[in-house]
Amino acid sequence: MAEAAIELVGINKSFGAVHANRDIHLEVPRGTIHGIVGENGAGKSTLMSILYGFYQADRGEIRVNGKPAAINTPNDAIALGIGMVHQHFMLVQNFTVLENVILGVEGGALLKSSIARARSELTRLEREYGLEVDPDAVIEELPVGLQQRVEILKALYRGAEILILDEPTGVLTPPEADHLFRILRQLKEEGKTVILITHKLHEIMAITDNVSVMRQGQMVATRKTSETNVEELAELMVGRRVLLRVEKGENRPGDFKLSVKNLTVRDSRGVTMVDDVSLDVRAGEIVGIAGVAGNGQSELIETIAGIRKAVSGTVLLDGKPIDVTGTADPGELRDRGLAHVPEDRHYVGLVLAFEEYENSILGYHDHAQYLKGPFLNIEAIRADARDKIEKYDIRPANERLKTANFSGGNQQKIVLARELEKDPGVLIVGQPTRGVDVGAIEFIHKRLIAMRDAGKAVLLVSVELDEIRSLSDRILVMFDGRIVGERDGDASEGELGLLMAGVERQEAAE
Amino acid sequence: MSAPYAKLPAWADYGLIPLINLIVAFAVAGLVVLLVGENPFRAAVILVDGAFGRGQNIAYTLFYATSFIFTGLAVAVAFHGGLFNIGGEGQAYVGGLGVALVCLAFDGILPWWVNFPLAILGAAAIGALWALVPAYLQARRGSHIVITTIMFNFIAASLMVYLLVDVLKPVGSMSPQTRTFLEGGQLPKLNFLLEAVGFSVRSSPFNLSFLLALVCAFLVWLLIWRTRLGYEIRTQGFSPRAARYAGIGEARIIIITMMISGALAGMMALNPVMGDQNRLQLDFVTGAGFVGIAVALMGRSHPAGIVPAAILFGMLYQGGAELAFEMPSISRDMIVIIQGLVILFAGALEHMFRPSIQALFASISPGTTGLGSPKREGV
Amino acid sequence: MDYFNTLVVILDSTIRLSIPLLLACLAGLYSERAGIFDIGLEGKMLAGAFAGAAAAAVSGSAWIGLSAALLVSTFLALVHGFASITHRGNQIVSGVAINFIAAGSTIILGQAWFSQGGRTPSLGADARFTAITLPGAEALRDVPIVGYLYYELVSGHSALVYFAFAMVAFTWWVLFRTRFGLRLRAVGENPAAVDTAGVSVAWLRYRAVICTGILCGFAGTYLALAQNAGFVKDMTAGKGFIALAALIFAKWRPVPAMFACLLFGFLDALSIRMQGTPLPLVGRVPAQFFQALPYVLTVVLLAGFIGRAIPPRAGGVPYVKER
């Protein structure tokens, strides 16, 4: 093995009670591409932020090129030749490419000379690494893939020898991702060291020389990529987790409860997020939507739930239309038996500053049982909240506690209790177990199956493929705003993974 | 999550920290008194005595407090909806128009107890209307409500000058004000209340609108914490996305909240116009709309905090007037400084002392601030 | 010719009335471009005017007056920075607080120190920035139109007037041609980008509010030491808010800021001139109409009826590292 470009020794970092990094050891040989994999929340990003000087480790040592290094600010990291491409780009949207590249390393109080210098240097870098991008283009007008190139150029312009990329392909289309990988290989040939953080195993297999696996804040293994395989890495990532297969019997699909036809949704900038999507959900089945985050799943369920407006298309609930392009309103849909467990429980599904009982009626606060004329029927609401707390085993069992003080799993149970107990005909669920502890996951999964068995129609969106596979009767795969495939609930991970990567579509296009 | 603050017991959160902020504000005000060359402690004694020493003074203190309760509630209601209404001053100013029009029209025909509810409606309606435009622009066009309400304060000032100079001034009069209202446009004084508990009051402007202010405080409490609308306002204020999810129309809530806020600010005009001066004159609001900001911040936007905070500021106004007699170098403008300091320390710097207080609590009893042990919190 | 003379007089007073707006507007530009909203321009200007007048009255020197104005105004700007940068407080609340502190303390201290009902003593010529005649103005005076305009409009203003216009060009240059300007604009749009580029967000924003403080000090100095001969209580009379309106009107850009301030100054001059004089066609227009016009125009602009005013993206939001 070559000399280590980066060596981390006993890194520890806590945020409050959360031990994000626990005694991390890592060695990255120079001139290699090193993958770091782990599930969401495993501590990958925290570790890299420490390496880049964005956070300081509570304990531990960083060695760069064999020498102990004190990295207290991003400046220290930059001086040591470490560059980082963040998951959320650190670009000034209304600046040009050139202005973004020189920000912080202008090299003089006046811009004129530094811009001229930067322009020629940038042209050189672009040519050398195949990173073409117009230096005078304004960032907000560039597609995401090019914005990422600017981030890489920023790092190279600062003389980065070690480049960290945090989930770089999460926002890229497959061709863009391929291009990125070509660039990374090129960088490696030039002798640069690349650290690639991802939770996509096929990327690891495709491009890295070595791979380290993180789980729950710990570094659990490091392997040569050529000597490992996806199955081993997956097991290392999740630990000896019993595959979360919930017991579920045959499903008996009934009537069509929810029908989406040719739905198209654009975001505020006019970018098409949901592109001509059609799907049906019948009573007594769970339809899972699989896909990499950001492929339109969120927009799809928000539109069905009445939070977002569609450009065109129709949605039928129990055979009757929802005015998705006009006046659809979440309150009205609830009355029609459509319940919605949103993806973001912190800012959408709950008001964290409210007491628990206040959240137990969010969205149902206009139901007669909770009201006395224009007034809230506080006694009835609290009694109802106590019932749900008992039924869903929400802890601590105190409806007067501020919602922010419940754990993630219990917060999700508060949302679930509220949405399920109204006995809706159709349930839309987004990321039901994100940031939820294992015990609660099982509980939530059982509840969703019970809903199905009680003859409800369930539309499930999750970025956890495992969850989709263990719960769904049918699986739709969403890619780039479109449904690119439908499979049975027992489809293999590899098959779905290909669909999620948009492989079939891409081949068809070529 | 970016909530770095560990928990404190409710009494520290709602009692201790505001108290410390207040003490610091007064300490800095004391420095200004020193700078003027007077003894701050003597000034404080004169101030308190001037505000509460005799029945007369108490009546004046409560008279000023009345205005501040209205404007404090106005700012607080908007805060609950996540809105910053800096326009209380202008809304109160035009609210005076509602009072004056009712009084000018009916003061010779109807008794005060008929005109009073009419004047309440007039003041509330015009105040609400004045808040409606900024609210509409925020709700529908995304214009920043802070800026538009500031602009509307100035527009209100120009409008009122124009109306008083060119329209409402009686023919032949020189001063820009309406005629004095007849008996039907005058609210009864409440001095007897103080006399009933043993104080003597010669004459004071302390009037019926004080009771109206207390009723409004109760109604605001009821609205915010006990009604469906209040629930919707608070949801919108804490998390607009959650409000959307819950089917709460954002535009509707912004407009209703601001109109309630404007109505409360407008009702402030009853106190000076119908309760004291019995005519509409220039600049009768005298900053009460802005004091409302300090009152709402200090009272933590809760009526139970706003009423005492308003009385505190009433005390500063009344005591300050007395202080100006005893210490000629200290005019009533001292209150403006204190008001600014209170807004600074209880508002913009409200978290300054929190970390050290938390550290203190943690060192005394490790159990109360531990992150991992969410015990009972809140009321 | 009579109309021409009237016009020149109005334009001349437009310039005088625009200067405090312009200086305060540019002041606000630095802060708001860096992502710190500042509705405390009014207070800083007022405090600067008082400090300037008081120091000039005591020392007899305009320059000492100016220094005092800059010092006091910058101190208040730092208080705003302390609250909104260091303690991540609400920037609006902090601005409101500073306005009150300035309004109250100028009167209290003025009365305590000078006992003239909140005024400072009238200043002599040495303690003021008086009008200066530009070279050649006298000679060109009689040249029709051009020479006359040069004499009446361009020449004969206080040095601070020329300084204010120079500051427009300077601010443009700083903002778009220097490293500081680049970073300043960046931190108002995306502070995280600045932070990860290894530049301190807090220090950058502090420097921005210091610039704001200095320029507000100049605005106050102009009011008390050039436009007037001393401090009168509440002499800013809402100019800080008009400056804020002008800043929005100019969409946070220096050269349009100058034109916005000239427009609002012109409205002011017109309202003074028009008092009681009927206009052709419309008849007598109340002076209050012109006084309210800047505010009305700003509201109309904010409503999006004449272009859209989009503030710096990170404006008003305290910077917190993610987590």
Side-chain angles (χ1 to χ4, degrees), chain C residues 11-27 45 153 157-168 215-223 226-227 239 243 257-258 260-266 268:
Chain C
L11 289 181
D12 193 46
S13 79
T14 295
I15 292 175
R16 289 167 213 281
L17 292 168
S18 306
I19 296 307
L21 302 181
L22 182 54
L23 287 166
C25 185
L26 292 174
M45 199 172 13
L153 275 186
H157 293 290
S158 132
L160 292 175
V161 172
Y162 304 108
F163 170 79
F165 284 107
M167 278 315 289
V168 176
L215 283 171
C216 279
F218 272 104
T221 306
Y222 178 81
L223 280 178
Q227 204 173 46
K239 288 191 176 61
M258 176 182 77
C261 291
L262 284 171
L263 170 68
F264 291 169
F266 175 73
D268 200 4

Side-chain angles (χ1 to χ4, degrees), chain A residues 16-17 307 329-331 334 340 342 344 347-349 351-355 358 361-363 365-366 371 374-376 378 398 400-402 405 418-419, chain B residues 1-2 7 13-14 222-223 225-229 231-232 234-235 238-249 371-372 374-379:
Chain A
I307 296 176
D329 169 69
R334 277 191 190 90
H340 176 200
D344 180 347
Y347 294 100
V348 179
V351 177
L352 291 181
F354 274 179
E355 292 176 21
E358 292 177 294
I361 58 164
L362 187 70
H365 57 277
D366 53 355
L371 295 174
F375 297 100
L376 297 174
I378 300 276
N398 176 5
R400 301 298 307 273
L401 188 66
K402 226 175 231 163
N405 297 347
R418 181 182 72 212
E419 300 301 322
Chain B
M1 268 208 11
S2 54
K7 283 135 216 151
D13 222 0
Y14 293 99
L222 208 60
L223 168 76
W225 280 280
R226 284 296 179 268
T227 68
R228 176 184 155 186
L229 177 62
Y231 179 85
E232 295 180 331
R234 283 184 298 136
T235 305
F238 280 127
S239 170
R241 288 172 62 206
R244 253 196 101 99
Y245 162 76
I248 297 166
L371 264 168
K375 293 209 185 106
R376 244 188 82 76
E377 202 240 11
V379 191

Side-chain angles (χ1 to χ4, degrees), chain C residues 227-281:
Chain C
Q227 204 173 46
N228 299 281
F231 178 85
V232 189
K233 82 181 206 180
D234 196 29
M235 76 184 307
T236 45
K239 288 191 176 61
F241 293 106
I242 299 200
L244 199 63
L247 184 59
I248 296 167
F249 218 74
K251 298 176 184 171
W252 294 268
R253 292 168 301 170
V255 177
M258 176 182 77
F259 287 114
C261 291
L262 284 171
L263 170 68
F264 291 169
F266 175 73
L267 291 175
D268 200 4
L270 207 60
S271 80
I272 295 169
R273 183 77 199 175
M274 284 294 144
Q275 247 152 34
T277 341
L279 276 181
L281 298 177

Side-chain angles (χ1 to χ4, degrees), chain B residues 1 141 143 154 166 290 334 348, chain C residues 89 100 295 302-303 308 323:
Chain B
M1 268 208 11
R141 323 250 347 159
S143 327
F154 287 102
D166 288 9
F290 294 121
M334 191 68 213
Chain C
F100 287 130
Y295 305 112
L302 280 169
R308 204 103 181 83
R323 174 76 207 178

Side-chain angles (χ1 to χ4, degrees), chain C residues 49-68:
Chain C
F50 174 72
V58 173
S59 68
S61 154
W63 294 103
I64 291 179
L66 175 66
S67 318

Side-chain angles (χ1 to χ4, degrees), chain B residues 284-355:
Chain B
F284 70 86
V285 185
T286 57
F290 294 121
V291 180
I293 300 169
V295 168
L297 286 171
M298 235 185 83
R300 289 287 189 118
S301 296
H302 193 293
I306 287 170
V307 172
I311 292 175
L312 178 82
F313 272 94
M315 174 194 107
L316 290 175
Y317 263 65
Q318 168 52 24
E322 299 284 321
L323 190 58
F325 271 117
E326 299 274 332
M327 297 181 171
S329 55
I330 297 179
S331 72
R332 206 196 259 191
D333 298 285
M334 191 68 213
I335 291 110
V336 181
I337 303 182
I338 295 177
Q339 183 183 325
L341 291 168
V342 166
I343 294 175
L344 185 68
F345 287 103
L349 287 171
E350 64 173 329
H351 297 307
M352 184 162 66
F353 299 105
R354 191 178 270 268

